[in-house]
Structure formats: structure tokens, C-alpha cells
Amino acid sequence: MAVTIGTISFKIFFLFNAIALFTSLAVVVVQITLVRGETKSERRVVEVINKLMWLASVCTTVAFIASSYIVVGRQSRWAAVVVTWIGGVIMAGVLGTMTYYVVRSKRSRSVRKRDKLSRRSTSSSWQNYQFSDSEVDPIYAI
């Protein structure tokens, strides 16, 4: 029987470690099976898998931090605090940077899509435009 089974840090470790393990395994299985992402449904699955991978990495981080408090004990709690601070900065930096680039990419994609649609509507409106006689007269054919 685990000596620390009654502590809050062990319960946090046990829960987040289990979530991290099984979501990571599920992501690996699906990523190996479905790598292409060519159809719309495959792209949706890849989006869900990517979100699960983020969840797995956050849970792994929390589980590791909780285990660091268990391992070092009360006498060296400062070491667990240092590990928590380092892990928090790294994970926040990585997840924050990834979120920034994902949002930026989606915005630029929507702007390009809007521009493309506006060019289509502009070109189709010229096709239906009726010229008056005064507009046609100055045009010379070769």
C-alpha cells in the first residue's frame, strides 16, 4: 500500500497521471491510424486529437508537479516549488505561443477567404454589367 495514498498531492497526481496516460495513448493510436487529414471528417478528427494532445500535456505537467511534492517531502518543499515554477513557465510559454500562432493563422485565413470571396463577387458583377452607348463609343477594336 502506498504510504502517501491519503495525501491531496497523491490524489492529484493519480488523477492527472491517469488522464494524461489514457488521452496520450488515444491520441497516439488515432494519429498513427489517421495521419492524412485530407477529407473534412479527417480534418475534424485531427482537430479533436490535437485538443486531446494539449489536454494530455497539461495533465502530464500537473501530475509531474504533484509527484514532485510527494517525492521531496516537507523538508525540501522549495525544490518542488522551483520545479512547479519552471514547469509552469515552460508550459505557459509553449501553450501561449501555440495559441497565438493558431489564432493568427485563423485570422489571416479568414481575411484571405474574405478577399477571395469579394474578388469573386466583383468579377461576377462585371459580367452582368450593361454598357450604355456613350461608354462603348470610345472603345476601338483592333
Side-chain angles (χ1 to χ4, degrees):
M1 183 170 163
V3 176
T4 59
I5 199 163
T7 64
I8 292 174
S9 23
F10 181 79
K11 291 174 183 175
I12 292 170
F13 163 74
F14 187 72
L15 174 69
F16 281 91
N17 194 37
I19 293 170
L21 171 70
F22 293 116
T23 55
S24 296
L25 289 175
V27 167
V28 167
V29 167
V30 174
Q31 287 282 15
I32 289 171
T33 306
L34 180 70
V35 178
R36 298 181 327 258
E38 294 172 359
T39 66
K40 190 173 185 176
S41 61
E42 288 175 344
R43 282 192 300 270
R44 283 188 188 152
V45 170
V46 170
E47 287 177 12
V48 170
I49 292 304
N50 286 339
K51 288 178 176 72
L52 285 175
M53 198 62 192
W54 284 39
L55 173 66
S57 62
V58 169
C59 289
T60 303
T61 301
V62 171
F64 181 81
I65 290 171
S67 69
S68 70
Y69 281 91
I70 294 168
V71 170
V72 298
R74 294 178 187 227
Q75 294 80 17
S76 301
R77 191 168 288 248
W78 63 269
V81 170
V82 169
V83 167
T84 301
W85 188 82
I86 291 170
V89 168
I90 290 171
M91 288 304 292
V94 169
L95 294 176
T97 303
M98 290 294 295
T99 303
Y100 168 76
Y101 283 114
V102 166
V103 168
R104 191 174 107 182
S105 171
K106 285 185 179 183
R107 283 186 184 164
S108 66
R109 202 176 316 147
S110 68
V111 167
R112 280 182 287 182
K113 189 175 184 178
R114 200 173 330 124
D115 288 345
K116 187 176 181 181
L117 289 174
S118 68
R119 276 189 249 129
R120 276 190 196 161
S121 65
T122 304
S123 65
S124 65
S125 66
W126 279 103
Q127 291 171 354
N128 298 328
Y129 187 75
Q130 299 295 324
F131 291 100
S132 66
D133 287 338
S134 63
E135 293 172 327
V136 175
D137 288 338
I139 300 175
Y140 302 102
I142 298 178

